[in-house]
Amino acid sequence: MAIERTFLMVKPDGVARGLVGDIISRFERKGLTLEQVRMVTIDEELARRHYAEHVDKGFFPELLSFITSGPAVAMAWSGESAVAVGRTLMGPTDPAVAPPGTIRGDYGTVVTQNLVHGSDSSDSATRELAIFFP
Ligand code: IDP
Ligand code: MG
């Protein structure tokens, strides 16, 4: 049990589809606290830093094209077990198999366009928050 901070982002598909309010609302209703928020259009350099662990993967060109395709909403959230709670509300990476009730399960069908990013560990959260909220 610990109060943590986590980095959550509504990806360009979520912004384009008008789901920012719904997604923020889900995290709020769950009990997390929104600390910082800003719109950001990610460029290639920022994408390569944020997704450093994925730059050599086969899907990276597709991910790069998607994540730079329009504005995103970057957010810092805090709360009890905020990293795990954020991931639980998002659902698994692939929306096609994400259960209903999760953000990805409710709104997506395609693995690349999966609406949200959330830090996968406390260390990732520290690294990602420093990138988007220096
Ligand atoms: P995560 O967002 O659930 O942590 P990661 O494995 O870290 O998932 O992948 C980062 C992002 O890259 C995913 O959210 C998704 O947008 C995209 N992605 C992951 N795997 C694939 C894939 O196999 N094909 C295409 N895009 C993918
Ligand atoms: Mg990840």
Side-chain angles (χ1 to χ4, degrees):
M1 303 279 281
I3 299 294
E4 294 175 332
R5 296 180 81 225
T6 191
F7 175 69
L8 297 169
M9 181 168 67
V10 184
K11 294 181 176 182
D13 57 335
V15 175
R17 290 173 58 192
L19 295 171
V20 174
D22 178 280
I23 290 168
I24 287 179
S25 196
R26 288 168 181 245
F27 294 125
E28 286 184 325
R29 281 186 277 138
K30 181 66 174 173
L32 299 181
T33 300
L34 181 59
E35 291 197 335
Q36 295 182 89
V37 57
R38 79 179 174 99
M39 287 197 89
V40 54
T41 300
I42 295 176
D43 62 14
E44 179 166 352
E45 188 265 329
L46 182 54
R48 286 177 175 278
R49 265 203 295 156
H50 174 63
Y51 282 127
E53 64 179 337
H54 296 313
V55 289
D56 294 326
K57 304 237 172 95
F59 63 78
F60 187 73
E62 194 182 344
L63 173 58
L64 176 63
S65 161
F66 163 62
I67 208 69
T68 59
S69 65
V73 176
M75 302 170 288
W77 289 82
S78 67
E80 184 69 44
S81 304
V83 171
V85 168
R87 295 286 296 192
T88 299
L89 266 58
M90 288 161 53
T93 303
D94 186 353
V97 298
T102 66
I103 295 165
R104 288 164 167 174
D106 284 348
Y107 296 132
T109 58
V110 175
V111 66
T112 304
Q113 288 139 261
N114 61 1
L115 299 140
V116 278
H117 169 85
S119 306
D120 63 7
S121 68
S122 203
D123 286 349
S124 297
T126 301
R127 188 184 75 83
E128 293 166 0
L129 287 166
I131 291 174
F132 286 89
F133 297 101

